[in-house]
Every structure is written in C-alpha cells, then in structure tokens.
Amino acid sequence: MPRPYTTRDTARLEHAAAEYRDMASAATPRYALRTAFDYARFRIADYCAGFRPNPAARETEEKVRTWAQEFGLWIPDVTEHCNDLASYLYPEAPADRLATIGKNFAIDWYINDTIGRERVAGLAPEGKRAAALTREHLLQVSRTLQTGPDAAPVDHACLDMLQELRAGSNNAPQWYTHFLSVWTGHLRTMGHDGNASAGGTVPTAAEYLQTRIDISGMPHTIALGEFATDTYLNWVALDRDALAARRLRWLCAAIGCLSNDLFSFEKEFIRHRSDSNLIPVLLLNHPHLTLDDAVVRAITRVRKHTVEYIRCARSLTSRANELPQPLCMPLQEFVRATESCVKATWTWQLLSQRYRFPGSIFEETRPGWTAATDLGSSG
C-alpha cells in the first residue's frame, strides 16, 4: 500500500543527491551497464551479438524527420538522438510500416520531452494547465479520429499516424482496438507531475512498476511489433497459451522500462529532480538503503526479469512448434518481436547519446564512451 509522503522523504532524497555527488566525483565510474544484467553463464552481450537495426533505417529515418519537422515535432538535440529507435526495435519491418511506427515514436518523444513526467514538475501553473489540455486533445483525437477547431500541429500529426495504423491493420481490427487502448493509456499518463512529493504518497515498488509500464509506452511499443510484420496473434484461439504470451509481453515491458530507469537515472533524478524512477522509489521505501544499495537492487530486478523472460521465450517457442500452422507462425513472430525489443532496449540505450551525463556513475553514459565495434563483446 502507498504511504503519505513526508519531510523525511524530502531529506532522504536530498541525502541521495549528496551520495550521488560523492560517487560522481570518482575518477572512474561505479557501474558497467553492458555487463550488469549478466547471470550464471548468460551474457547479455552474447545474447545481443549480431543484432543490427533495420536495413531500411536511413531511408525511413529521413522520411520521419521530414514529417516531424512539417508538424513542428522535431526538437533539436532531442529527437535526432531518438529517431533511430524504431529501426532497432523492428529490424524486420518493411520500410513503409517502419515509417508509420517512426511517426508514432516522433509524437511520443515530442510529448515526453514537453509534458512528460519529469518535465511537468518544473512548469508554472499555466504551463501545467496547457500540458493537461494537450493531453486531453490528443486523447480526443485518438478516440474519435477527428481534430477540433483549435487543434494543434501535434493533434494533426496524431490523426495522420493513427489513420496509417488503422489502414495498415485493416485485416486485424482487434489488434487496432488493443493498440488504441494501450496508446490512450499511455497518453493519460502525460501532463501529470509523477513525483511522490507532488502526489503526496510514496508508491510501493510494485505499484510504481505498474504505473511506470504505462508511462514508458512499452505496451503500445510491443503491440507495434505485430503491426511491423503484419502478423497478429489470435489471443482467443491461443487459449491457455495466451497466459504465457501475456506474461512474456509483461516481462518485455518491465525490462524495457526498468532498464531505462537505470540509463536515465541521472537525466531524471539529478537534472530534473524527479523521484519518478525506480532508484528513488526504492530509497523512499527502504530508507536504510544507501544509493549504492538502491542501484544494485534496481539492477538485480532487471536481471531477474531478464532471467524469467529468457526461460519464458524458450518455452513459448517450443510450444509454438506443437501448434497448428495458423497459430504457430504468429506466436513465433510474437516471440521474435519481443526478443528484438529486449535486444534493442539494451543495444540502443548503450549507443544513444540521449542518456550521456558528465561524470556519470555508469561507464556507458559518460560522454565520450564508445561501444566496441561488435556489441557482442563484453570485454
């Protein structure tokens, strides 16, 4: 159960910031994220070895850039570091579908970096009201596929993107219904101050994770994996196997959002003073922990979910081979799509400039760090 936020919590977060400054002052970083999720004989670098972005990346990224600029969604020094993410997440998508997905991501990055959870906290009351209005307009467009007379460019962009998605999935209307549900669920998290201090309550780690999954957009990101290859699961026909598929989907989402909490910890907690991040949440729930303890616990949670994910993916792949062809192929594609998502989560965040932070406590997010030519090498 959540508990009230108190002045002791403010003091604990201030102490964590002081602990961070001591860590960051060290000549060498404290943690290496490229090996943090390894366990037993499993090496995530080996798991991701040979993983490469979509061959149509350059073509589609330029197309999305032009589109985003036309709608005023391109944020200098922000969108350019994110425009390639779709190419990593969906390496097998045809160029036209990859471009549609890229448009969705461009909208998402725009609203995240203007009215996202760590941004809203720093807005004046008028700015917060404007953020809420932006959110409500986007929800209305998404539900009705219509723009109002006072529609902003982002509303028109959202309409254009959704019309492409609906047309591209017209043979699977149940998929579009699901996508719209998780997309609007994600939109509803925007324009809110996600800090425990603002809400007046401290969520448990489990409560935080469920909220974080919606904030992250992982549910609709995973759903887009089906759109990417125009191959859709028949959830009803899967019967009992649907339970395992849903668990795999949840694990993929948890890995994506919680690993991002590590990569973006400094951007969120240090730069924007946001406590809507797993590491501060752990500190608030367990005041006896040091910052180092909390970071290690956060890493351990991601590793635990990764262990279960690998086992679940192997089990579902084996099970798919026993099913009739109309169920076998879509389930195999679904598992492959989540695997691409997990691999892209690790690979792209290592390579992206988005999370670089001067004096970072993570080796890979320090400016100037470069990956080995082959990310399959963990040395």
Side-chain angles (χ1 to χ4, degrees):
M1 293 289 290
R3 63 165 178 81
Y5 183 93
T6 70
T7 55
R8 289 187 178 182
D9 295 313
T10 299
R12 181 64 192 94
L13 294 177
E14 290 174 351
H15 180 66
E19 289 181 280
Y20 172 84
R21 288 191 292 272
D22 288 341
M23 281 188 185
S25 66
T28 57
R30 181 73 65 95
Y31 312 98
L33 291 172
R34 68 188 182 282
T35 56
F37 311 133
D38 295 347
Y39 68 93
R41 288 179 292 178
F42 174 81
R43 298 290 179 268
I44 194 165
D46 295 336
Y47 178 66
C48 298
F51 182 73
R52 296 293 182 269
N54 194 299
R58 182 173 298 180
E59 168 193 347
T60 55
E61 287 165 22
E62 188 55 39
K63 184 176 181 179
V64 171
R65 173 194 291 267
T66 301
W67 179 88
Q69 289 173 335
E70 288 175 354
F71 284 101
L73 306 181
W74 193 268
I75 304 175
D77 298 322
V78 172
T79 320
E80 61 197 85
H81 298 319
C82 312
N83 193 29
D84 60 344
L85 177 56
S87 300
Y88 280 87
L89 286 166
Y90 313 102
E92 297 179 3
D96 58 339
R97 289 180 176 269
L98 186 62
T100 299
I101 293 170
K103 292 176 181 181
N104 175 271
F105 281 22
I107 294 169
D108 211 358
W109 287 117
Y110 174 79
I111 58 179
N112 180 74
D113 280 75
T114 54
I115 62 170
R117 74 193 195 284
E118 76 266 23
R119 301 285 181 167
V120 173
L123 296 177
E126 183 179 342
K128 291 181 179 180
R129 287 192 293 271
L133 187 61
T134 297
R135 178 187 67 238
E136 294 308 311
H137 280 187
L138 285 168
L139 283 168
Q140 183 68 13
V141 170
S142 298
R143 295 186 188 112
T144 65
L145 287 184
Q146 293 180 342
T147 55
D150 54 349
V154 68
D155 300 323
H156 291 292
C158 185
L159 175 61
D160 182 62
M161 176 272 297
L162 289 173
Q163 287 175 330
E164 286 190 17
L165 277 178
R166 189 171 69 165
S169 60
N170 59 7
N171 63 331
Q174 74 284 356
W175 175 86
Y176 182 78
T177 299
H178 167 70
F179 172 83
L180 202 59
S181 173
V182 291
W183 168 245
T184 54
H186 172 59
L187 288 177
R188 280 193 292 270
T189 69
M190 295 294 174
H192 294 288
D193 187 337
N195 287 326
S197 55
T201 58
V202 175
T204 65
E207 290 166 336
Y208 167 76
L209 174 55
Q210 286 308 113
T211 300
R212 180 70 175 96
I213 286 175
D214 287 334
I215 290 171
S216 71
M218 286 302 299
H220 77 265
T221 298
I222 295 168
L224 285 167
E226 295 179 75
F227 175 85
T229 57
D230 201 21
T231 306
Y232 308 95
L233 280 181
N234 185 333
W235 291 91
V236 175
L238 279 177
D239 196 23
R240 294 180 182 178
D241 295 312
L243 292 175
R246 288 190 176 93
R247 182 61 182 175
L248 188 77
R249 183 171 66 185
W250 185 90
L251 288 166
C252 181
I255 291 167
C257 68
L258 293 185
S259 65
N260 180 255
D261 273 7
L262 290 163
F263 280 94
S264 64
F265 167 67
E266 289 154 322
K267 180 177 74 73
E268 294 170 355
F269 181 65
I270 302 302
R271 179 175 296 155
H272 294 295
R273 310 305 296 170
S274 172
D275 60 48
S276 183
N277 180 288
L278 179 61
I279 295 170
V281 168
L282 289 172
L283 289 169
L284 292 176
N285 278 277
H286 307 282
H288 64 282
L289 295 180
T290 64
L291 177 59
D292 177 65
D293 293 333
V295 173
V296 171
R297 283 201 183 190
I299 289 171
T300 301
R301 282 176 182 262
V302 177
R303 185 187 303 124
K304 178 182 176 182
H305 290 318
T306 303
V307 170
E308 185 182 354
Y309 170 83
I310 296 296
R311 291 172 179 165
C312 188
R314 288 172 179 167
S315 176
L316 266 178
T317 299
S318 176
R319 173 60 180 151
N321 294 330
E322 301 171 359
L323 297 175
Q325 187 61 26
L327 295 177
C328 170
M329 193 269 286
L331 184 55
Q332 289 175 331
E333 286 292 333
F334 177 77
V335 174
R336 274 196 290 268
T338 63
E339 287 178 337
S340 292
C341 194
V342 169
K343 292 177 180 180
T345 292
W346 184 78
T347 305
W348 182 80
Q349 289 184 128
L350 280 180
L351 296 174
S352 178
Q353 297 296 311
R354 179 173 173 81
Y355 308 109
R356 299 303 167 92
F357 200 85
S360 175
I361 59 176
F362 303 107
E363 181 179 353
E364 297 81 1
T365 51
R366 286 197 170 189
W369 182 84
T370 56
T373 301
D374 182 359
L375 283 174
S377 171
S378 58

